[in-house]
Amino acid sequence: MAQRKMLLEYADNPEARSLEGWKRLGGYAQVESILKTRTPDSIMEEVKSSGLRGRGGAGFPCGLKWSFLDRKSDKPRYLVCNGDESEPGTFKDRHIMERLPHQLIEGMIVSSFAIGSKHSYIYVRGEYMYILRILEKAIDEAYAAGYLGKNIFGSGWDFDLSVHPGAGAYICGEETALLEGLEGRRGNPRIKPPFPAVSGLYGCPTIVNNVETIAAVPYIIAMGGDAYAGIGVKPSTGTKLISASGHIRKPGVYEIELGKVSCEEFLHSEDYCGGPSNGRPFKAVIAGGSSVPVLPLDLFVKTAAGVPRMMSYESLAEGGFVSGTSLGSGGLFVMDDSTCMVRNLWNLARFYRHESCGQCSPCREGTAWMEKLLERLEAGEGKLTDIDLLVEISKKIEGNTICPLGDAAAWPVASHIRHFRHEFEHHVRFPEKIRDPKHNVAAPIPRPS
Ligand SMILES: Cc1cc2nc3c(=O)[nH]c(=O)nc-3n(C[C@H](O)[C@H](O)[C@H](O)COP(=O)(O)O)c2cc1C
Ligand code: SF4
């Protein structure tokens, strides 16, 4: 099935980058009538009935999250848009912020109106400084045109929107670390509960949503929640952006109708990845950003029961973390048979060790141990017992930390070893080959049948 373009319909159209151009393309058309004729509750109901799931990674239903807001509190409410996007392999929010800034601003206006926020924030990844400028310019345009500011369109609703730069730390994408950063402190995750919906920014009820989630809201209101729920396959409704990279002919950001494209098709169709970049067979796929379990090709395209997998939350999760994975943030990377899975995991482990904020011992110490063990194995200096030790450490981290970064560091370890143990053993059994500079460490190592 060809791409279903909704969010990205105008991504390649330079008109979409200015307010006037966005309006010519139909943007902002419904904002005035929403503010004058709709109630916040009715917008919230549409989002609930749409089945929209958060696109930041966990896939939590957006309308349900909004309904958790502490409505009895007389404190201000905040909407914070998470544009931190630092998960390796994920680069789809950048596409929206860079090319469709007014689509996101429109989403922020409508969503903030629904949850009753009078001041909302877009938190932008530190390395995306040029995007911060794009958003600032677009926000200035929206103020000048009366879409932001006091008493918008005479509705009686005042609304301010600010952008805030991150400082370049992956952990600041975790929602409570992000809130710490917004408040001007080091981005250390908070212990939950309380969840942000009860006590978030400045101790006030706060919703944190991903860029793609917010950008989908105006489309839901325009077509109606039930119509949106008709796109995709329930409970994976709507479209999803997938950022595809690795050994594929056509890396890029693609929009799919959830559950309507098979994983096989996604890898090979000219509408998407376009097959291998250098003619070598694919070996493994990480489907949803670096944190989700890696799958060997055969388990990515078909479940353990032989059912073809589809690109949806449910289908990719089939088999749990033993033979399945997660759609996560949609950061899909594909590895061909020249990839050394030990080196790949070492690379990921280095990242998580570097990004651990250090608050909890299992994550701080465990990520460092895993990195050291993997460095040793990769160099051909490891022991067979190191392999089980790695799994043991990953189990000790999983579920025992303040925030999910610990799990995110543990899952790739467990899954790489579960599916590619023979490669780890190869590094131990044939150290002379691994150390030989002429030996291609990435040469395909046959899986035992
Ligand atoms: C280490 C870590 C990094 C994260 N990075 C991001 C990110 O860059 N963008 C994002 O939207 N969510 C990220 N999340 C998830 C957020 O905590 C939060 O669940 C999400 O922003 C909620 O938005 P959604 O409900 O629209 O998906 C991260 C979580 C963790 C644990
Ligand atoms: S799990 Fe890691 S990143 Fe998260 S709070 Fe603990 S030490 Fe920090």
Side-chain angles (χ1 to χ4, degrees):
M1 185 185 212
Q3 283 195 64
R4 166 83 192 234
K5 292 224 177 169
M6 188 161 66
L7 295 186
L8 295 190
E9 188 178 356
Y10 300 116
D12 295 329
N13 187 338
E15 281 256 89
R17 296 173 201 189
S18 69
L19 183 132
E20 282 312 316
W22 184 241
K23 282 175 72 176
R24 277 194 291 277
L25 296 169
Y28 288 117
Q30 52 176 354
V31 170
E32 184 170 356
S33 72
I34 287 176
L35 299 188
K36 286 182 170 166
T37 63
R38 302 284 300 256
T39 61
D41 282 352
S42 76
I43 304 289
M44 201 173 294
E45 282 311 312
E46 297 280 14
V47 173
K48 261 193 197 165
S49 64
S50 74
L52 174 70
R53 295 168 66 166
R55 306 302 197 212
F60 193 80
C62 179
L64 186 61
K65 184 192 267 193
W66 289 7
S67 72
F68 291 156
L69 263 183
D70 184 356
R71 300 186 150 264
K72 286 187 242 100
S73 167
D74 51 11
K75 292 179 179 172
R77 293 180 202 154
Y78 294 106
L79 175 67
V80 178
C81 175
N82 191 342
D84 193 62
E85 192 164 67
S86 311
E87 173 110 341
T90 307
F91 47 92
K92 44 109 188 161
D93 294 336
R94 180 177 75 185
H95 220 62
I96 295 177
M97 293 188 283
E98 184 184 301
R99 295 163 179 238
L100 302 158
H102 287 284
Q103 182 166 300
L104 179 59
I105 293 170
E106 199 176 335
M108 288 299 285
I109 296 170
V110 178
S111 307
S112 298
F113 177 70
I115 70 156
S117 168
K118 291 188 168 185
H119 193 159
S120 297
Y121 296 85
I122 306 175
Y123 185 99
V124 183
R125 174 183 172 156
E127 292 88 341
Y128 287 173
M129 230 32 213
Y130 71 103
I131 289 181
L132 195 97
R133 306 269 176 265
I134 292 172
L135 287 172
E136 277 174 345
K137 182 171 165 285
I139 287 173
D140 286 348
E141 286 180 315
Y143 269 108
Y147 291 102
L148 297 172
K150 297 260 175 264
N151 191 20
I152 304 171
F153 295 120
S155 63
W157 184 55
D158 302 339
F159 177 56
D160 287 307
L161 182 59
S162 308
V163 276
H164 186 95
Y170 168 60
I171 193 57
C172 289
E174 193 282 330
E175 57 186 7
T176 60
L178 186 151
L179 296 176
E180 286 287 300
L182 260 184
E183 290 181 16
R185 285 188 292 278
R186 182 189 157 107
N188 281 352
R190 300 173 181 170
I191 291 175
K192 293 188 261 189
F195 289 91
V198 175
S199 178
L201 189 62
Y202 309 120
C204 300
T206 302
I207 294 295
V208 182
N209 271 136
N210 174 256
V211 167
E212 187 187 344
T213 315
I214 301 276
V217 171
Y219 291 90
I220 291 170
I221 307 308
M223 71 173 70
D226 290 340
Y228 185 90
I231 302 170
V233 177
K234 284 179 188 165
S236 285
T237 62
T239 64
K240 172 90 192 82
L241 304 189
I242 307 290
S243 41
S245 62
H247 296 135
I248 49 174
R249 276 190 42 246
K250 298 173 65 190
V253 180
Y254 297 102
E255 185 164 11
I256 56 159
E257 184 169 352
L258 281 164
K260 294 286 175 75
V261 182
S262 75
C263 293
E264 175 89 48
E265 182 186 359
F266 190 77
L267 290 184
H268 292 283
S269 159
E270 284 302 308
D271 288 324
Y272 303 105
C273 300
S277 53
N278 52 16
R280 298 188 75 118
F282 291 146
K283 169 166 152 181
V285 178
I286 293 182
S290 61
S291 316
V292 310
V294 65
L295 286 181
L297 181 76
D298 48 352
L299 278 179
F300 175 69
V301 295
K302 281 189 183 154
T303 65
V307 179
R309 260 193 224 279
M310 305 300 285
M311 294 287 288
S312 74
Y313 291 98
E314 292 68 38
S315 185
L316 282 163
E318 189 67 45
F321 277 6
V322 175
S323 61
T325 184
S326 163
L327 182 59
S329 58
L332 179 139
F333 46 106
V334 187
M335 291 161 269
D336 71 20
D337 71 349
S338 68
T339 311
C340 170
M341 300 309 281
V342 181
R343 180 175 290 183
N344 189 54
L345 182 59
W346 175 40
N347 196 28
L348 292 176
R350 276 192 299 173
F351 172 78
Y352 286 108
R353 193 268 305 147
H354 184 263
E355 298 298 329
S356 166
C357 83
Q359 281 192 103
C360 2
S361 331
C363 173
R364 183 186 61 241
E365 303 301 325
T367 51
W369 293 349
M370 293 195 303
E371 188 205 344
K372 272 192 197 137
L373 285 168
L374 282 160
E375 182 176 9
R376 204 154 85 184
L377 282 164
E378 213 282 324
E381 292 163 5
K383 295 182 281 204
L384 279 177
T385 49
D386 289 347
I387 303 172
D388 288 328
L389 184 57
L390 273 167
V391 176
E392 196 61 24
I393 298 170
S394 76
K395 280 190 191 146
K396 291 278 189 304
I397 299 175
E398 193 181 342
N400 293 318
T401 55
I402 294 175
C403 90
L405 186 140
D407 300 338
W411 291 331
V413 172
S415 58
H416 273 71
I417 295 178
R418 182 180 310 116
H419 298 301
F420 298 97
R421 179 178 271 270
H422 57 290
E423 294 203 20
F424 291 79
E425 291 181 358
H426 180 91
H427 276 241
V428 178
R429 292 190 204 283
F430 303 102
E432 66 291 349
K433 286 194 187 174
I434 301 301
R435 288 200 210 103
D436 178 357
K438 285 194 237 80
H439 175 67
N440 175 8
V441 285
I445 299 166
R447 292 180 85 187
S449 49

